[in-house]
Amino acid sequence: MFRLIYYELLKIFLKKRTYIGFGIILVIVPLIEIAMKLEGELVISRILKGFSKDFLFFGNLFNGWFVAQQIMNSLWIHIPLLISFVAGDQLAGEATGGTYRLILIRPVSRTRIFIVKYISIVFYTVVFVLFLAGLSIGLALILLGRGDLLIIMRGILVIPEADVAWRFLIAYLLASWSMIMIASISFFFSSFVENAIGPIVATMGLLIISLVITVMPIEMFALVKKILFTQHLNVWQKLFQDPVPWNEIKLGVTHLGIWTSVAVVSAWWVFVKKDILS
Amino acid sequence: MESNVNDIILQTKGLGKRFGKRWAVKNLDLDVFRGDVFGFLGPNGAGKSTTLRMILSLIKPTIGETLIFGHSLRSHRSEALRQVGGIVEKPDFYLYLSAFKNLEIVGSYFGGVHRNRIQELLSLVGLSDRAKDRVKTFSHGMKQRLGIAQALLSDPELVILDEPTNGLDPQGMKEVRDLILHLSRDRKKTVIISSHLLSEIELVANRMVIINKGEKVVQGDVNTLLEKGEKYVILHAEPKKKALSLLKRQKKVIQAIIEQNECFHVKMDFEEIPRLTKHLVQAGVQIHAIVPRRSLEDLFLSMTENANEVR
């Protein structure tokens, strides 16, 4: 099994497509952080101006943690797109390239091959999210230094610096969990088409539709909203509340877990039953 | 080669596949014996690739069963496929990886294959100097040869090659033919080779099946089937009028004459060719060409119209 996973990862990481996401992150994160370093202080002073009558602010609130948290919040629509580039290609790419015929005639069960492919895509997703974490936090701390974390979200909250690192760590683990769910959906779409574009479009379509329904204040969507994964996709943001709403996080993690399980089991069913005609 | 029922290594029983309302393969019974080079013939769309896909478990049959080395493909897939290697339709690879890496990946599905084995196979198919090149730089012929190398990677006893000469130039076709014969004679492999190029099969196979519209037309020993085929001679002679008149007088030797494409198709025994040639030349007829034909192709054409079992 480990040998198969190794070669599956080799296939993923020797493909140019895999590095599109890494490349974009490598461009966009430094760009945002350098821009924030140059102009961000001005922006934050404008934001805090409204609060200055009631609050006194001490220390370096415009710091690396603040910028890293802003990046984390702003990229959660883009990261699924970048992840689906690779996850959507994982099965459909084999169909497009005709290489299903190379691997599915071997004395290894389709279930085993499916597990290997899924584990590999989970590994890629986690590496990708952790790369984002490492780059955005590391560079932000180098450029803008450390300090307490200022959260501006329906009011303001200042989290002491001693409390920040573990919150980021768990937040990124939760972000990985959310992105694994996105990857699983993309993987599911990938299981029954023969072109990688389809799963990417389908995943993003589902994400956008779900997001729109989630944010629309319409009564008739109330029940649907509870079911949609977008209700909990940003579960990591709850780590930056005080106190941390652990019960809500548990609910979110479970909800995303159910979506992931349904997507993976459905993908497995399609994959093992599929006739390879490509 | 003498065939023994105990030596059947691949058997299909009532195999069938339906796509929607159309049966692509219907009620197909095949027996492949150990050591066979088994030709699988049929015109395009006859159901050859669908059958081979079912045998290699890429497609699930609608009905029927496949036994490979006595293992049911349905219930013991891994055991059944352990001694099988193959190419289905065109040889596709991970184009962004080298030939060597592609074979390493295929080898991982057998628990890993030693580097020396990969080198040996690349050498066998004449690609050892291109081992590190990306497959996307390969010609179709090179991919076809790499396809054969991957089919042999696990040193399987049964090798299934679906139209392996497709798209190759005559030299490439000959190389593949020679390779198949080498696998059969020297390496004692059982080979199933499908093709719509009947002359190809005639040159390599000892047994064969012809299918048409998803159904078996005939199965049997190639030589036995050839004996059933019509024997005729293609004669190109001048002047035609004189030649025809002389031919018509040879009623004891010639059963039929058809004038076709500036030539005569003369139905006759091959043993009579020297005597007939001498007779025509002595009468002043110039013979430009005389070609004896006993082709599987003719058999194929006649058999697809009139189904019968030889074996």
Side-chain angles (χ1 to χ4, degrees):
Chain A
M1 182 73 114
F2 287 113
R3 188 190 300 269
L4 288 175
I5 293 172
Y6 167 76
Y7 280 104
E8 197 58 45
L9 288 173
L10 200 77
K11 279 180 349 195
I12 291 176
F13 284 99
L14 288 179
K15 206 179 239 185
K16 281 182 188 162
R17 160 192 294 265
T18 305
Y19 295 97
I20 294 172
F22 286 102
I24 290 172
I25 293 295
L26 213 50
V27 170
I28 203 162
V29 168
L31 205 67
I32 293 171
E33 295 190 347
I34 290 166
M36 290 287 256
K37 182 171 174 61
L38 296 175
E39 290 186 21
E41 210 148 359
L42 193 68
V43 175
I44 202 167
S45 65
R46 278 186 199 148
I47 295 167
L48 294 179
K49 208 172 181 181
F51 297 101
S52 58
K53 277 189 274 177
D54 307 309
F55 297 95
L56 282 172
F57 295 99
F58 294 98
N60 176 23
L61 288 178
F62 182 69
N63 56 44
W65 293 120
F66 173 78
V67 172
Q69 208 267 339
Q70 292 302 309
I71 287 175
M72 199 177 183
N73 285 342
S74 63
L75 291 183
W76 71 293
I77 254 288
H78 312 100
I79 300 302
L81 174 65
L82 300 179
I83 284 173
S84 66
F85 272 157
V86 176
D89 187 52
Q90 183 68 341
L91 296 173
E94 300 276 6
T96 311
T99 44
Y100 266 150
R101 285 183 273 115
L102 197 63
I103 60 173
L104 296 184
I105 61 172
R106 310 297 166 195
V108 177
S109 72
R110 285 201 189 183
T111 298
R112 205 175 167 87
I113 292 172
F114 179 86
I115 292 168
V116 165
K117 285 194 156 288
Y118 184 68
I119 289 174
S120 306
I121 213 62
V122 167
F123 181 85
Y124 163 79
T125 305
V126 173
V127 166
F128 188 74
V129 173
L130 295 183
F131 175 75
L132 172 68
L135 183 68
S136 66
I137 296 173
L139 189 63
L141 291 178
I142 291 167
L143 287 174
L144 297 151
R146 312 161 73 96
D148 294 340
L149 173 60
L150 175 68
I151 304 288
I152 307 165
M153 197 187 291
R154 284 181 245 125
I156 59 168
L157 170 69
V158 178
I159 299 172
E161 193 186 359
D163 253 358
V164 174
W166 68 263
R167 285 177 191 257
F168 262 101
L169 178 69
I170 299 175
Y172 265 106
L173 290 177
L174 290 174
S176 298
W177 186 243
S178 296
M179 291 307 118
I180 286 170
M181 192 229 61
I182 293 289
S184 305
I185 287 177
S186 212
F187 195 69
F188 163 66
F189 286 128
S190 182
S191 67
F192 58 84
V193 294
E194 295 184 355
N195 185 325
I197 303 295
I200 298 167
V201 173
T203 307
M204 293 316 292
L206 184 64
L207 179 63
I208 290 165
I209 291 166
S210 303
L211 266 177
V212 169
I213 293 173
T214 303
V215 298
M216 290 282 260
I218 296 173
E219 193 59 33
M220 63 181 286
F221 289 154
L223 183 66
V224 182
K225 280 183 191 177
K226 285 182 186 169
I227 302 167
L228 291 176
F229 62 84
T230 36
Q231 190 75 7
H232 299 282
L233 193 63
N234 57 347
V235 63
W236 71 76
Q237 288 183 336
K238 296 190 190 302
L239 258 295
F240 301 103
Q241 294 177 15
D242 205 43
V244 176
W246 292 110
N247 282 335
E248 285 179 34
I249 290 173
K250 275 184 208 164
L251 178 70
V253 167
T254 309
H255 192 105
L256 294 174
I258 291 168
W259 267 90
T260 302
S261 305
V262 170
V264 173
V265 170
S266 307
W268 168 79
W269 181 253
V270 173
F271 183 73
V272 296
K273 296 284 172 194
K274 192 182 178 79
D275 279 342
I276 306 302
L277 302 169
S278 59
Chain B
M1 173 181 289
E2 284 295 312
S3 299
N4 183 327
V5 174
N6 295 328
D7 278 344
I8 292 177
I9 60 171
L10 185 142
Q11 189 170 36
T12 67
K13 295 176 182 173
L15 199 63
K17 179 68 184 178
R18 193 178 59 200
F19 294 109
K21 288 180 180 173
R22 188 181 67 86
W23 283 92
V25 175
K26 204 173 178 184
N27 198 28
L28 190 64
D29 294 327
L30 293 179
D31 295 319
V32 178
F33 295 91
R34 195 179 301 277
D36 273 350
V37 175
F38 188 84
F40 196 48
L41 303 179
N44 286 330
K48 301 187 297 293
S49 288
T50 303
T51 304
L52 295 184
R53 280 171 191 262
M54 283 192 279
I55 290 171
L56 287 166
S57 86
L58 290 170
I59 289 180
K60 292 196 168 40
T62 309
I63 195 167
E65 193 181 13
T66 302
L67 296 170
I68 307 177
F69 298 104
H71 300 289
S72 163
L73 192 60
R74 198 184 293 268
S75 57
H76 295 86
R77 183 183 173 279
S78 293
E79 290 84 349
L81 292 177
R82 191 151 289 144
Q83 280 297 315
V84 181
I87 318 176
V88 183
E89 287 188 12
K90 60 190 170 70
D92 283 311
F93 291 94
Y94 302 102
L95 299 178
Y96 56 99
L97 298 177
S98 69
F100 194 94
K101 204 53 97 185
N102 267 284
L103 294 187
E104 256 190 319
I105 287 172
V106 171
S108 71
Y109 290 89
F110 299 101
V113 174
H114 199 274
R115 297 176 67 84
N116 292 347
R117 172 75 183 150
I118 295 175
Q119 292 288 8
E120 180 200 337
L121 284 170
L122 287 170
S123 218
L124 178 75
V125 297
L127 289 174
S128 50
D129 56 333
R130 300 293 303 269
K132 289 183 179 171
D133 292 351
R134 289 183 183 191
V135 176
K136 72 175 173 189
T137 65
F138 282 20
S139 67
H140 180 73
M142 290 162 77
K143 284 184 198 161
Q144 200 73 274
R145 282 186 275 155
L146 187 60
I148 293 173
Q150 66 79 22
L152 298 173
L153 202 57
S154 64
D155 198 17
E157 202 178 327
L158 173 62
V159 181
I160 298 174
L161 305 173
D162 186 11
E163 312 225 12
T165 55
N166 241 7
L168 298 183
D169 58 21
Q171 178 61 26
M173 289 164 93
K174 186 182 179 305
E175 283 171 13
V176 170
R177 265 199 318 266
D178 290 346
L179 189 59
I180 290 166
L181 291 171
H182 166 70
L183 292 175
S184 169
R185 287 173 191 161
D186 306 331
R187 301 203 173 201
K188 309 297 175 202
K189 308 286 182 202
T190 303
V191 182
I192 298 177
I193 172 173
S194 81
S195 182
H196 62 275
L197 298 173
L198 306 177
S199 52
E200 280 296 311
I201 295 298
E202 196 176 345
L203 290 168
V204 291
N206 66 305
R207 292 185 65 249
M208 65 165 199
V209 64
I210 296 175
I211 67 166
N212 190 34
K213 294 177 184 167
E215 292 186 76
K216 181 167 76 178
V217 176
V218 66
Q219 173 173 292
D221 183 86
V222 171
N223 289 331
T224 310
L225 294 173
L226 278 171
E227 288 304 314
K228 282 180 69 86
E230 280 190 348
K231 296 168 186 173
Y232 66 93
V233 169
I234 299 174
L235 177 69
H236 187 186
E238 294 289 349
K240 281 194 182 57
K241 230 175 190 177
K242 189 171 183 183
L244 182 61
S245 149
L246 288 166
L247 288 171
K248 278 182 177 172
R249 278 183 230 155
Q250 301 292 318
K251 286 180 184 163
K252 282 185 185 170
V253 178
I254 294 170
Q255 289 105 51
I257 306 164
I258 303 164
E259 201 170 347
Q260 198 174 48
N261 300 331
E262 302 289 305
C263 296
F264 299 109
H265 286 212
V266 184
K267 195 174 170 188
M268 62 182 285
D269 279 338
F270 293 164
E271 291 76 29
E272 297 292 336
I273 292 175
R275 205 188 59 76
L276 182 71
T277 313
K278 191 177 172 187
H279 177 67
L280 290 173
V281 171
Q282 282 176 345
V285 172
Q286 287 186 323
I287 297 178
H288 298 287
I290 183 159
V291 184
R293 289 291 303 266
R294 192 175 56 178
S295 171
L296 206 55
E297 195 158 339
D298 303 312
L299 176 72
F300 171 72
L301 290 172
S302 64
M303 290 295 179
T304 47
E305 286 162 12
N306 306 301
N308 64 349
E309 181 77 23
V310 169
R311 193 180 176 81

